[in-house]
Amino acid sequence: MSALNVGVIGCAGRMGRALLTAINEAQDSHLSGGTDVAKSGWLGRDIGEILGCNPLGLIIGDDPETLFATSDAVVDFTAPQAVADHAQLAAKSGKAWILGTTGTDAGQDAAIVKAATQTAVVRAANMSVGVNLLVGLVRSAAAALNDEFDAEILEFHHKHKVDAPSGTALALGGAIATARDQEHKQVSAFGRHGNTGKRRLGEIGYAVMRGGNVVGDHTVVFATEDERIELTHRAGSRGIFARGALRAAHWAHNKPPGLYGMDDVLGLKG
Ligand code: NAD
């Protein structure tokens, strides 16, 4: 079987570099090229320079249209303002578009949905296979356990993170609430301090730790009398998002047009 030709938009960024490494290491994938913007300082240079290896003969350009044309799938971890243009190019080319970029507004979201009527788009705010599997496991556990099991979520991130709880922790809480037919906002307990009173039945509690360079740890605990179930994921590097995106690229190649998530890629739906 021939290798999948994967292009990387935003290849000089933190995630772009992780993607280049993941593609370079994968036997079943071939790097078709990379683009970025002038202010990255990387235009006209060989991608091998980013990877710290010999020249690959792939020069970093700023023409995503050509990248779509010469790739089977294109992975995009860039910036929200770039998304609408890339959506149009993905639709025009009919190639799989793997979108990891977050923070899009309603107009950009509409452009993504429109592109997905013409090509396969995989979009996920967290492309890690492990995190998506954890969400699926937590959903199943919450559906199986009755509300005698108290659900608590603990997350730990590096000291530079400015928001809390993490988006992933909230997604885990959302999965529990949905499985239990609850309104997530109404049952969430964010931080406890002082005389809090007893725990409310059905509450989903959040606890947050910050320190060092921890990439991201998440634990969901289901606790009842005399027993406790703990489901944990620990992220070690950005490579997990890159490898997940690459897996999505292989899955989406030759799939019919549609807007897919990592649930589809990992077969976790239904
Ligand atoms: P970054 O700033 O390090 O990299 C972004 C790169 O995209 C830069 O090199 C920038 O020059 C380039 N870029 C911007 N506009 C472009 C355009 N129009 N065309 C080509 N290149 C362009 O950021 P990052 O940490 O790599 O994150 C990128 C995005 O991915 C963010 O939205 C972030 O939240 C998201 N992200 C998603 C996941 C996930 O699993 N889905 C994981 C990590 C980061």
Side-chain angles (χ1 to χ4, degrees):
M1 213 179 81
S2 59
L4 189 77
N5 288 308
V6 186
V8 180
I9 314 188
C11 67
R14 282 168 292 205
M15 277 307 302
R17 287 162 190 254
L19 247 312
L20 295 179
T21 303
I23 296 166
N24 211 29
E25 286 172 354
Q27 302 273 327
D28 59 357
S29 307
H30 174 259
L31 182 64
S32 48
T35 65
D36 211 291
V37 290
K39 72 173 182 201
S40 71
W42 280 91
L43 295 193
R45 294 164 71 178
D46 191 283
I47 287 181
E49 272 192 72
I50 292 187
L51 287 167
C53 64
N54 291 330
L56 300 177
L58 294 170
I59 303 301
I60 301 167
D62 59 358
D63 175 12
E65 186 163 10
T66 302
L67 189 66
F68 272 103
T70 55
S71 304
D72 298 316
V74 169
V75 184
D76 180 339
F77 286 83
T78 55
Q81 55 276 21
V83 161
D85 281 351
H86 297 165
Q88 273 192 358
L89 296 176
K92 193 172 156 198
S93 70
K95 304 294 179 62
W97 182 37
I98 314 306
L99 181 63
T101 307
T102 60
T104 49
D105 64 22
Q108 291 151 354
D109 289 343
I112 297 164
V113 170
K114 190 170 170 209
T117 62
Q118 284 170 270
T119 196
V121 180
V122 180
R123 182 188 198 198
N126 190 318
M127 293 251 174
S128 149
V129 169
V131 163
N132 284 282
L133 183 62
L134 177 67
V135 174
L137 293 171
V138 163
R139 190 183 295 122
S140 303
L145 302 171
N146 61 25
D147 59 12
E148 279 167 25
F149 282 80
D150 301 322
E152 294 280 310
I153 301 170
L154 172 67
E155 61 104 330
F156 190 1
H157 280 85
H158 54 84
K159 61 188 173 193
H160 303 293
K161 187 164 176 63
V162 294
D163 56 313
S166 69
T168 300
L170 292 169
L172 289 163
I176 296 169
T178 305
R180 290 176 164 181
D181 219 5
Q182 295 171 311
E183 192 62 50
H184 184 207
K185 269 191 187 151
Q186 281 170 13
V187 294
S188 301
F190 295 113
R192 301 181 178 109
H193 179 70
N195 187 1
T196 59
K198 274 199 204 163
R199 192 182 198 286
R200 284 183 297 152
L201 188 70
E203 188 168 89
I204 300 172
Y206 288 86
V208 173
M209 295 198 287
R210 293 285 176 263
N213 65 348
V214 179
V215 177
D217 293 353
H218 293 88
T219 295
V220 177
V221 181
F222 293 97
T224 187
E225 299 302 313
D226 302 331
E227 64 177 327
R228 197 159 73 228
I229 300 155
E230 299 183 1
L231 297 165
T232 296
H233 177 270
R234 297 188 207 285
S237 79
R238 284 190 181 81
I240 63 170
F241 309 120
R243 290 192 293 274
L246 195 52
R247 183 160 169 173
H250 280 267
W251 180 88
H253 177 49
N254 287 336
K255 281 276 181 308
L259 185 54
Y260 302 102
M262 287 302 282
D263 270 12
D264 298 295
V265 174
L266 301 176
L268 294 172
K269 273 204 164 149

